[in-house]
Amino acid sequence: MLRLGPLAAAGRLLPAGPRLEPPRPAGGRVSFLRCWPPRLPGPVGDGRPLSQQVRAAADSAGGGGGRGLALKTPKGTRDHPPAHVALRDHLLAAVVACFKRHGAAAIDTPVLELRLQTPPLRAPVLPIPSFQWLSSCSERAVVFAMATMQVPFARYLAMNKITNMKRYHVAKVYRRDSPATTRGRYREFYQCDFDIAGQCDPMIPDAECLKIVHEILSDLQLGDFLIKVNDRRILNGVFAICGVPESKFITTCSTVDKLDKVPWEEVKSEMVEEKGLSPEAADYIGEYVQLHGGLDLVERLLQDPKLSQNKLAKEGLGDMKLLFEYLTLFGITGQISFDLSLARGLDYYTGVIFEAVLLQQENDHVEEPVSVGSVAGGGRYDGLVGMFDPKGRKVPCVGVSIGIERIFSILEQRVKAEMLYKKDPKLLKQLQYCEDTGIPLAAIVGEQELTDGVVKLRDVARREEVDIPREKLVDEIRRRLEP
Amino acid sequence: MLRLGPLAAAGRLLPAGPRLEPPRPAGGRVSFLRCWPPRLPGPVGDGRPLSQQVRAAADSAGGGGGRGLALKTPKGTRDHPPAHVALRDHLLAAVVACFKRHGAAAIDTPVLELRLQTPPLRAPVLPIPSFQWLSSCSERAVVFAMATMQVPFARYLAMNKITNMKRYHVAKVYRRDSPATTRGRYREFYQCDFDIAGQCDPMIPDAECLKIVHEILSDLQLGDFLIKVNDRRILNGVFAICGVPESKFITTCSTVDKLDKVPWEEVKSEMVEEKGLSPEAADYIGEYVQLHGGLDLVERLLQDPKLSQNKLAKEGLGDMKLLFEYLTLFGITGQISFDLSLARGLDYYTGVIFEAVLLQQENDHVEEPVSVGSVAGGGRYDGLVGMFDPKGRKVPCVGVSIGIERIFSILEQRVKAEMLYKKDPKLLKQLQYCEDTGIPLAAIVGEQELTDGVVKLRDVARREEVDIPREKLVDEIRRRLEP
């Protein structure tokens, strides 16, 4: 019997989630600044060699034979055994090859960034998803690990007075909110960013970013996908004509962003009860943000008597039309959806925004369907460099992040396979083990199959077997395991 | 006129060293635990969008037109522009190719590790060079960024009960002590580790590690190098027969380790005045630790009436002899020196230790000679896995770290080159610029040179020019710029 590699076995070697968590206030996103108060001890260590210190601590903590407490990875992080690294390197190579094909050069920035900490600004935390790791290193600065590489990129451009650059950056980044490791959301994870900085003719770099997402998701053969596109100016225009005051644009935006996870009724009630919009305004917004379509929808909204009167929305719709023209030339509109519910979490987007999602198929061959959310996202951020520049000089930017870690989780699930460590196991026992552990497929190669040039493929749950010509085996397994 | 690429220009784009430093006690190494007290503000941010917060802070901080304070990288870190990343990727590819040739598989571990923090052990800091980044995440654990990947590797082995593994790991690590960026010592830097875990016949994996260092330094054409080798057991044996009490072995070791930087007299006075050894003991130690040589020295010490009576030293010398036999078979003893002054900083080494240094040549073509220290180092650490294992089960390990960042600094210095951004600059002005800025070489290609198939190479300081056949140009430049 043949099984498909050591990935599942490797997966089982991974650490269980560490249990040492900070106390956490109930509900919502959590800022580490608040929930990780500085409880640093004063004097530390006792000067003895580590071996003695660790042993002493293990003795005092675990009583007799207690497990060493340091045998964990920090919450939301994980080790990657060789099979993981090999798969990840394979993914990264494909992504980087695409970035290079599109003419980008790599840069690298420190994993930490400095942040201002001067009164009245003690530490600007929220709008940029950063992750506070380090205690303050002086009274005027706080060091942050970034959750997005667009911020270090903007700082890099401003610092070096670069007004034109196409760069990619592959690195570990760190997110602030609670990890959900079963859904592939880790606190420490790899990200692959591609960004274009500089003044260009409208929508050309934006279209290139979408083309890149399309190329990468196609190259990686992840199955069907959809790239949702919207524009912050269109959303803001919708809010304006629906009577939302400008001060509530951002918070309304973040409520709209939930439409891909919860039904409209819940979104509406949050708008009314938490965000203080009138039910009429919410309903009016609902009419727009539930729309999605293609160029036809753009055209229709350009004719919308109210929306077309709003300057921002009109600009956004005009650019969206132009974008679809480029995407048509690229031949990729089949996977593009103009979706007014797409809002994206980041505050600093100023124009086009987009997000790629994999389309999950019902498939009972997969033991536990993985809900992976978006696998790529990005947008235009024309103001971020100017925030760093002492004179506020702007450099328009648009870029995309490839969620390599999510993609990794999907592929890991898909190629999960295992070896049985028995010298001479009976076939029935092996099949029983497959049923017990929920392994979906077993490939059986006996003497008859060798003679016939086939492999017997067994659907474990249904107990159905079928002979597959060897040259078609890989395709057949791939087809059956598709999500 | 031809100049050799954009590296120098890129170098000049690098940030000046940030000035936001923690207050630092005078002298010696600095522990961040002590010098970065937790001064975290309570409530942070004021809820406004970041753009407004940053602008407000810049206004209040900089007065009028003041430079934004966040336009810096944290102390001891730097950005890497595309030319840097390209060079580094080239280096990493060579190193990883060698690791793979020797059969290692890659693993990846989080950049942070958990550490015990239970009374009486508040936070074991010193013996393992870790770098405290994160505030405590609970009362029982502190998270550290590691300065060596041997510690996460040992934790990985213990956690997954692996007793046999050949792995490599390329990642960013973080050092605690003060950065010296001009000497290529950054706080955040890449490291390439290769380690062999598992019970093997004596000195075979140790010899392989040395072979790997030799291969990599040869492959990278870094010029002459020397790999110093010693054994902790020999050092401890020397200390023992010189009358040093066992409790002072480690501290005496760290004093001996300074012999490559300061003369013996200084080392001796530290031993006597700071470490409390008698002048006679220090002199006695001095007779041994100033010895270096090859197999002949090993043989001589094996005959040493006192040292050969010490069990540890005898073991170490026996293994050293065996090691030299393997190194002779590998044909690399020409670059190996058995050097009794080599001690290495890490506390957890238990047997063979080694360190590779580049041999600097006097060469006045190089503007500012770079003193780069060691470019690789490692050793045997048979006890580290057992420190993590709850039952103390030991897994013998030996490994090597390649100091890719130091090597990068050397190569960067060597190929530094620049473009002049003038449309039609006069030759004399260009040569003047070279003299003003200390550029060592100018390559001149005019019509005559094109006809003759040569390039005129000018020694800028001496104002001497010589025609070089084009096919020999690269070698000639490389020769002249060798350190």
Side-chain angles (χ1 to χ4, degrees):
Chain A
M1 178 178 292
L2 171 94
R3 297 197 199 171
L4 302 166
L7 274 177
R12 290 189 188 161
L13 294 177
L14 284 178
R19 261 151 253 137
L20 293 173
E21 298 180 26
R24 182 173 303 153
R29 283 169 68 131
V30 171
S31 156
F32 274 88
L33 267 169
R34 262 172 278 134
C35 75
W36 288 15
R39 292 211 203 101
L40 285 181
V44 290
D46 56 10
R48 285 180 297 164
L50 181 75
S51 53
Q52 293 172 28
Q53 294 194 43
V54 171
R55 192 56 53 77
D59 289 350
S60 75
R67 214 179 143 77
L69 282 176
L71 267 188
K72 292 176 175 179
T73 59
K75 182 177 156 65
T77 68
R78 59 172 166 174
D79 292 324
H80 295 271
H84 277 220
V85 177
L87 177 55
R88 196 186 62 203
D89 284 353
H90 167 76
L91 289 177
L92 288 179
V95 171
V96 165
C98 176
F99 291 164
K100 284 185 176 170
R101 255 189 340 257
H102 284 264
I107 70 163
D108 189 21
T109 58
V111 76
L112 297 171
E113 290 283 328
L114 287 174
R115 278 272 162 282
L116 297 174
Q117 190 189 346
T118 46
L121 173 75
R122 296 283 290 180
V125 183
L126 294 176
I128 289 182
S130 56
F131 174 75
Q132 198 200 8
W133 245 10
L134 189 46
S135 50
S136 58
C137 64
S138 85
E139 300 203 342
R140 306 192 68 184
V142 171
V143 187
F144 285 87
M146 300 311 299
T148 164
M149 290 182 293
Q150 285 168 342
V151 175
F153 179 51
R155 194 261 311 146
Y156 176 83
L157 294 174
M159 206 162 112
N160 299 298
K161 300 189 173 55
I162 297 169
T163 54
N164 222 303
M165 187 173 204
K166 205 183 233 189
R167 83 92 178 77
Y168 72 89
H169 189 174
V170 176
K172 281 181 170 176
V173 295
Y174 300 83
R175 69 160 62 84
R176 225 158 38 93
D177 52 343
S178 294
T181 51
T182 50
R183 291 191 294 120
R185 283 180 70 84
Y186 287 87
R187 184 162 281 164
E188 175 186 67
F189 59 106
Y190 268 89
Q191 198 161 292
C192 307
D193 277 19
F194 171 96
D195 294 82
I196 303 170
Q199 202 70 52
C200 304
D201 283 333
M203 307 317 284
I204 294 178
D206 314 63
E208 186 174 20
C209 287
L210 293 170
K211 180 72 169 67
I212 282 173
V213 174
H214 195 278
E215 279 179 28
I216 289 173
L217 296 183
S218 303
D219 287 354
L220 294 178
Q221 300 186 302
L222 297 170
D224 291 341
F225 61 88
L226 187 69
I227 308 175
K228 303 177 188 174
V229 188
N230 197 4
D231 192 300
R232 276 285 167 87
R233 293 166 297 175
I234 300 175
L235 269 182
N236 287 344
V238 166
F239 299 154
I241 66 167
C242 295
V244 178
E246 204 179 325
S247 62
K248 287 188 180 168
F249 279 9
I250 289 173
T251 182
T252 310
C253 214
S254 72
T255 305
V256 168
D257 201 38
K258 296 178 181 166
L259 255 183
D260 62 338
K261 297 190 192 75
V262 301
W264 165 246
E265 285 312 315
E266 273 185 52
V267 170
K268 182 187 165 183
S269 93
E270 180 176 318
M271 282 183 180
V272 175
E273 283 156 37
E274 293 176 33
K275 307 296 167 78
L277 304 192
S278 70
E280 296 72 29
D283 279 335
Y284 199 3
I285 293 173
E287 280 174 31
Y288 285 102
V289 297
Q290 293 181 83
L291 297 173
H292 52 92
L295 187 54
D296 53 326
L297 177 59
V298 184
E299 304 275 17
R300 218 175 82 206
L301 291 177
L302 273 169
Q303 306 304 323
D304 182 288
K306 281 213 153 182
L307 203 54
S308 61
Q309 296 305 307
N310 180 280
K311 188 173 165 288
L312 271 182
K314 203 178 159 193
E315 266 179 41
L317 287 165
D319 278 348
M320 189 61 72
K321 189 177 165 189
L322 185 56
L323 179 66
F324 266 89
E325 282 170 22
Y326 287 122
L327 300 180
T328 306
L329 291 173
F330 288 154
I332 61 172
T333 45
Q335 284 76 37
I336 307 276
S337 166
F338 172 39
D339 186 328
L340 276 91
S341 73
L342 179 71
R344 300 279 301 161
L346 296 181
D347 188 34
Y348 55 72
Y349 286 127
T350 55
V352 163
I353 47 180
F354 49 86
E355 191 169 296
V357 293
L358 296 191
L359 301 178
Q360 299 260 353
Q361 292 158 342
E362 287 298 326
N363 187 328
D364 48 12
H365 292 297
V366 177
E367 336 166 9
E368 29 185 283
V370 192
S371 167
V372 291
S374 77
V375 290
R380 174 162 287 282
Y381 51 106
D382 289 348
L384 196 57
V385 177
M387 287 185 209
F388 283 97
D389 189 274
K391 293 183 180 161
R393 278 168 299 216
K394 289 190 177 182
V395 176
C397 293
V398 63
V400 57
S401 296
I402 307 294
I404 199 78
E405 212 85 20
R406 303 273 189 97
I407 294 171
F408 176 83
S409 292
I410 297 161
L411 291 182
E412 188 192 2
Q413 180 79 7
R414 194 171 293 177
V415 296
K416 234 174 168 176
E418 189 173 12
M419 303 288 293
L420 200 65
Y421 298 111
K422 288 267 184 195
K423 204 174 62 186
D424 188 17
K426 294 217 168 66
L427 183 57
L428 268 180
K429 283 219 166 177
Q430 292 194 53
L431 294 177
Q432 189 58 49
Y433 179 79
C434 290
E435 291 194 4
D436 292 347
T437 54
I439 288 169
L441 290 177
I444 301 161
V445 189
E447 275 181 26
Q448 189 60 48
E449 285 80 15
L450 280 175
T451 310
D452 298 349
V454 297
V455 171
K456 200 178 284 301
L457 198 62
R458 181 182 175 99
D459 182 317
V460 175
R462 297 184 182 162
R463 299 188 180 176
E464 289 168 4
E465 293 178 356
V466 56
D467 285 346
I468 310 284
R470 295 182 70 153
E471 67 276 13
K472 294 189 177 167
L473 180 67
V474 172
D475 281 346
E476 179 64 18
I477 292 176
R478 192 172 277 152
R479 193 186 63 75
R480 292 189 181 211
L481 291 182
E482 241 163 34
Chain B
M1 179 181 287
L2 173 93
R3 299 199 197 167
L4 302 168
L7 274 177
R12 294 197 184 154
L13 292 176
L14 284 177
R19 261 153 253 133
L20 292 173
E21 298 181 24
R24 182 172 303 151
R29 285 170 66 134
V30 171
S31 156
F32 274 89
L33 267 169
R34 264 172 278 134
C35 74
W36 289 14
R39 294 209 201 100
L40 285 182
V44 290
D46 56 9
R48 286 179 296 164
L50 181 74
S51 52
Q52 293 172 30
Q53 294 195 46
V54 171
R55 191 57 52 80
D59 288 350
S60 74
R67 214 179 143 79
L69 281 175
L71 266 188
K72 292 174 174 178
T73 60
K75 180 176 157 66
T77 67
R78 59 173 167 174
D79 292 323
H80 295 272
H84 277 219
V85 177
L87 177 55
R88 195 185 62 202
D89 285 353
H90 167 74
L91 289 178
L92 288 179
V95 171
V96 165
C98 176
F99 291 164
K100 284 185 175 169
R101 251 188 345 253
H102 284 264
I107 70 163
D108 189 21
T109 58
V111 76
L112 298 171
E113 289 284 329
L114 287 174
R115 278 272 163 281
L116 297 174
Q117 191 189 347
T118 46
L121 175 75
R122 296 284 287 180
V125 183
L126 293 177
I128 290 181
S130 57
F131 175 73
Q132 198 198 10
W133 245 11
L134 190 48
S135 50
S136 57
C137 64
S138 85
E139 301 201 341
R140 306 194 67 186
V142 172
V143 186
F144 284 87
M146 300 311 298
T148 163
M149 290 182 294
Q150 285 168 343
V151 175
F153 179 51
R155 194 261 310 145
Y156 177 85
L157 293 174
M159 205 162 111
N160 299 299
K161 298 189 174 54
I162 297 169
T163 54
N164 223 302
M165 186 176 208
K166 205 184 234 189
R167 82 92 178 76
Y168 72 90
H169 190 176
V170 176
K172 281 180 172 178
V173 295
Y174 300 84
R175 69 159 63 83
R176 226 160 36 94
D177 53 342
S178 296
T181 51
T182 50
R183 291 191 294 122
R185 281 180 72 82
Y186 288 86
R187 184 162 281 163
E188 176 186 68
F189 59 104
Y190 268 90
Q191 197 160 294
C192 306
D193 276 20
F194 171 96
D195 293 82
I196 303 171
Q199 202 70 53
C200 303
D201 284 331
M203 309 315 286
I204 295 179
D206 314 63
E208 187 174 21
C209 287
L210 293 170
K211 180 72 169 69
I212 282 173
V213 174
H214 194 279
E215 279 179 28
I216 289 173
L217 296 184
S218 304
D219 287 354
L220 294 178
Q221 300 186 303
L222 297 170
D224 292 341
F225 61 87
L226 187 69
I227 308 176
K228 302 177 189 173
V229 188
N230 198 3
D231 192 299
R232 276 285 168 86
R233 292 167 296 174
I234 300 176
L235 269 182
N236 287 344
V238 166
F239 298 154
I241 65 165
C242 295
V244 179
E246 203 178 325
S247 62
K248 287 188 179 169
F249 279 9
I250 289 172
T251 184
T252 309
C253 213
S254 73
T255 303
V256 168
D257 202 36
K258 295 177 183 167
L259 255 185
D260 62 339
K261 297 192 193 72
V262 300
W264 165 247
E265 285 312 315
E266 274 185 52
V267 170
K268 181 187 168 186
S269 93
E270 182 176 317
M271 282 183 180
V272 175
E273 283 154 35
E274 292 177 34
K275 307 294 168 79
L277 304 193
S278 70
E280 295 71 30
D283 279 335
Y284 199 3
I285 294 172
E287 280 174 33
Y288 284 103
V289 297
Q290 292 180 84
L291 297 172
H292 52 92
L295 187 53
D296 52 328
L297 177 58
V298 183
E299 304 275 16
R300 218 176 81 206
L301 290 178
L302 273 170
Q303 305 305 322
D304 182 287
K306 279 215 153 180
L307 203 54
S308 61
Q309 294 307 307
N310 181 279
K311 185 171 166 290
L312 272 182
K314 202 177 161 194
E315 264 179 41
L317 287 165
D319 278 350
M320 188 62 71
K321 188 176 166 190
L322 185 57
L323 178 66
F324 266 89
E325 281 170 23
Y326 288 122
L327 299 180
T328 305
L329 291 173
F330 288 154
I332 61 172
T333 44
Q335 283 77 38
I336 307 276
S337 166
F338 172 38
D339 187 329
L340 276 92
S341 74
L342 179 72
R344 301 279 302 159
L346 296 180
D347 188 36
Y348 54 73
Y349 286 127
T350 53
V352 163
I353 46 178
F354 49 87
E355 191 168 296
V357 293
L358 296 191
L359 301 179
Q360 300 261 352
Q361 292 157 342
E362 286 298 326
N363 186 330
D364 48 11
H365 293 296
V366 176
E367 339 165 10
E368 28 183 285
V370 192
S371 167
V372 292
S374 78
V375 291
R380 175 163 285 283
Y381 50 105
D382 288 349
L384 197 56
V385 177
M387 288 187 210
F388 283 98
D389 189 275
K391 292 184 181 162
R393 276 168 298 217
K394 289 190 177 181
V395 177
C397 294
V398 62
V400 56
S401 296
I402 307 295
I404 199 78
E405 213 83 20
R406 305 273 188 96
I407 294 171
F408 177 83
S409 292
I410 296 162
L411 291 181
E412 188 191 3
Q413 180 79 5
R414 197 171 291 178
V415 297
K416 235 175 171 178
E418 189 174 11
M419 303 287 294
L420 200 65
Y421 298 111
K422 289 270 183 192
K423 204 174 63 188
D424 189 16
K426 294 216 169 65
L427 183 58
L428 268 179
K429 282 218 166 177
Q430 293 194 52
L431 294 177
Q432 189 59 48
Y433 178 78
C434 289
E435 291 194 3
D436 293 348
T437 54
I439 289 170
L441 291 177
I444 301 161
V445 189
E447 277 180 23
Q448 189 61 47
E449 284 80 13
L450 282 175
T451 310
D452 298 348
V454 298
V455 171
K456 201 180 285 301
L457 199 62
R458 182 183 174 99
D459 182 318
V460 175
R462 298 185 181 161
R463 299 189 181 175
E464 289 168 4
E465 293 178 355
V466 56
D467 285 348
I468 311 284
R470 294 182 72 155
E471 66 276 14
K472 294 190 176 166
L473 181 67
V474 172
D475 281 345
E476 179 64 19
I477 292 175
R478 192 172 276 152
R479 194 187 63 75
R480 291 190 182 212
L481 292 182
E482 242 163 31

